[in-house]
Amino acid sequence: GPVGGSGACWWPSSPLLGVRCVTAADPSTGPRHRPLAVKEIPVPDAPTDRSSEPALLDQAVVERVLGAGLARGADFAEVFVEDRRSSSALLDDGRVEELTSGRDRGAGIRVVVGDSTGFAHTSDLSEAGLIAAAEAAAAAARGAGGSTRVVALDRVDAPPPNAVAILPGDVPKARKVELLLTADGAARAAGGAITQVSARYADGRRRILVANSDGVLASDDQVRTIFSVSCVASGDTGMQTGRESVGHTVGFELFDGVEVADLAERAARRALTKLAARPAPSGEMTVVIGPGGGGVMFHEACGHGLEADLVGKGASVFAGRLGEQVASPLVTLVDDGTMGGEWGCFAVDDEGRPAQRNVLIQDGVLVDYMWDGLRARKEGRASSGNGRRQSYQHLPMVRMTNTYLLGGTSSPDDIVADTPSGVYVAHLGGGQVNTATGDFVFGMTEAYLIEDGRITEPLREGNLIGNGPAVLAAIDAVGDDFAMGAPGTCGKDGQGVPVGDGVPTLRAHGLTIGGTAA
């Protein structure tokens, strides 16, 4: 699924009961800024204590609901409870066009009988409503018999990957609007060719409780805050765009270290630079990818192919290759849900498994896949903490968290200097990948020519085309400047979840640039 950092990762849900059954193994001039008077509003600076929050559901109720799910002879039952709050603000063309907030609560009940899974979800968190959902899920799984099983729950204690100092919900909306206005003014001040500016702020708090018939009882409290700026510059080459975003699994203290004016100026400069850019060349050439900006390629072209559900379906180019050399010895690929503050981090996944740091490719050798609980059970192994779902209305599946290539030992300047000709890609945009073959295509949102070992002219209107395993094998230099990229939303089978990705500077030979210049 595309990872573009296009906004926050919270969606409204319907308060209806739904039932699904899954069988078998398996996004110079122009309007002037109209100022809005916003007074300086202080925000609290003491860390927020969230330890006194009441539990989402009483443990005794959870145990009885699990018992109802198991009553017809099921192999496994699970309760997932979610309480989600969100707010957002959008400024477009100098005006605040949107100011929203919302809350959604509900539970999803999963019951497994053999290779069949029954799933029901409801916004009715009363005991009667939950038991009705559990019975519906059990019926959908076509369980038989009338036995009763008692589940003893043991709490899973997983430390949060980071502390939250300021809950965004405690910050006045006017303070959030002030950030938007600051970004708008800074972007327009970057140059008269900036004709349109759009800035978005969003935050969310997601509390979850997960319990299952294996005795797991776990909870998490996830707070995310994101800010993005998009600019359009108009000139002789038409309209060019620039975008910047920042988002972390933290509270409003994000803006203690982030200047939205700087973010907006970078977005505007990117758009302005592309006005003077030459069309990208076409053909096979050497590509140097800058720190942070190319992580999406490895998320898409390699990461999805290492998810156990796709591997099990034979829909991955990496299926059956454990222990094989699948990449350059310089490549170590990691998926890490424990990275404090990063967009894809959490304490426990959506099946109650503590977040893990999973090495997938070690020194070029494929050493493991990513696993959710259901597939791990079938293989007789532990989950890797990669069971994730969009909301209580969805079944969990194998998903990435923060996926990245470890840094190497080369100097980034030396990597460029040792490249006689090619393309330097500072940032990649969205793209497509065929996980069965590894073939991909990505847009280059910021790229430059490399001539005689120097970065020279900016490029526009180019795509990066290649094959995931081939790129992994073609990497011959990895820099010591690792950086994470922009926050993203990964789409898979109709579900979106927050993810992060990152890379150091790296060089690969034999990629194809799809441009317009001969």
Side-chain angles (χ1 to χ4, degrees), residues 166-468:
I166 306 170
L167 285 175
D170 295 340
V171 178
K173 288 183 172 63
R175 179 70 181 92
K176 301 170 183 179
V177 170
E178 183 182 3
L179 294 173
L180 300 176
L181 294 170
T182 298
D184 181 77
R188 294 182 185 279
I194 297 296
T195 56
Q196 185 176 348
V197 178
S198 176
R200 178 179 289 275
Y201 166 92
D203 62 58
R205 183 181 182 187
R206 180 184 189 240
R207 298 177 63 215
I208 64 171
L209 179 149
V210 190
N212 65 39
S213 55
D214 289 339
V216 169
L217 176 63
S219 60
D220 199 1
D221 190 346
Q222 303 160 6
V223 177
R224 290 184 170 90
T225 306
I226 190 170
F227 193 92
S228 63
V229 185
S230 297
C231 301
V232 175
S234 300
D236 293 341
T237 57
M239 293 188 297
Q240 302 296 331
T241 60
R243 190 176 188 282
E244 283 284 341
S245 64
V246 61
H248 290 281
T249 305
V250 298
F252 201 78
E253 68 271 15
L254 171 69
F255 302 102
D256 290 343
V258 172
E259 293 290 342
V260 297
D262 294 342
L263 198 74
E265 184 178 4
R266 290 200 301 272
R269 290 296 175 195
R270 182 169 297 147
L272 292 168
T273 296
K274 289 163 70 175
L275 285 179
R278 56 166 285 181
S282 295
E284 188 174 288
M285 57 192 67
T286 299
V287 172
V288 177
I289 296 175
V296 61
M297 180 174 72
F298 296 94
H299 169 103
E300 294 288 356
C302 307
H304 279 299
L306 297 173
E307 293 169 335
D309 53 349
L310 295 178
V311 172
K313 296 173 184 176
S316 166
V317 69
F318 296 106
R321 300 193 65 187
L322 281 176
E324 293 185 17
Q325 190 85 26
V326 298
S328 160
L330 298 175
V331 171
T332 294
L333 182 69
V334 176
D335 184 84
D336 188 357
T338 69
M339 294 183 74
E342 291 301 335
W343 196 239
C345 77
F346 44 77
V348 297
D349 71 2
D350 296 331
E351 297 179 300
R353 173 74 174 174
Q356 305 289 313
R357 180 184 185 274
N358 301 299
V359 178
L360 307 173
I361 298 174
Q362 177 75 57
D363 300 327
V365 177
L366 178 58
V367 296
D368 205 355
Y369 302 119
M370 290 169 279
W371 299 84
D372 64 352
L374 192 60
R375 286 157 189 83
R377 282 169 66 90
K378 292 178 180 179
E379 295 295 324
R381 57 159 291 160
S383 165
S384 61
N386 289 98
R388 306 185 67 192
R389 62 184 102 199
Q390 178 174 311
S391 77
Y392 72 87
Q393 294 189 349
H394 299 85
L395 279 165
M397 66 177 80
V398 189
R399 307 300 299 271
M400 282 172 275
T401 60
N402 301 295
T403 311
Y404 55 90
L405 266 68
L406 291 188
T409 59
S410 298
S411 160
D413 291 340
D414 289 345
I415 293 175
V416 173
D418 291 340
T419 306
S421 64
V423 169
Y424 181 88
V425 180
H427 290 278
L428 285 171
Q432 297 178 338
V433 62
N434 182 331
T435 60
T437 64
D439 294 334
F440 64 79
V441 57
F442 291 98
M444 301 187 302
T445 58
E446 183 179 2
Y448 304 84
L449 275 180
I450 298 177
E451 299 175 292
D452 298 323
R454 295 183 302 108
I455 297 173
T456 58
E457 294 184 82
L459 303 173
R460 56 181 169 85
E461 300 169 359
N463 292 319
L464 187 63
I465 303 168
N467 176 272

Side-chain angles (χ1 to χ4, degrees), residues 110-128:
R110 177 168 56 156
V111 176
V112 179
V113 179
D115 287 335
S116 295
T117 297
F119 179 70
H121 59 81
T122 179
S123 62
D124 182 357
L125 294 183
S126 69
E127 182 170 351

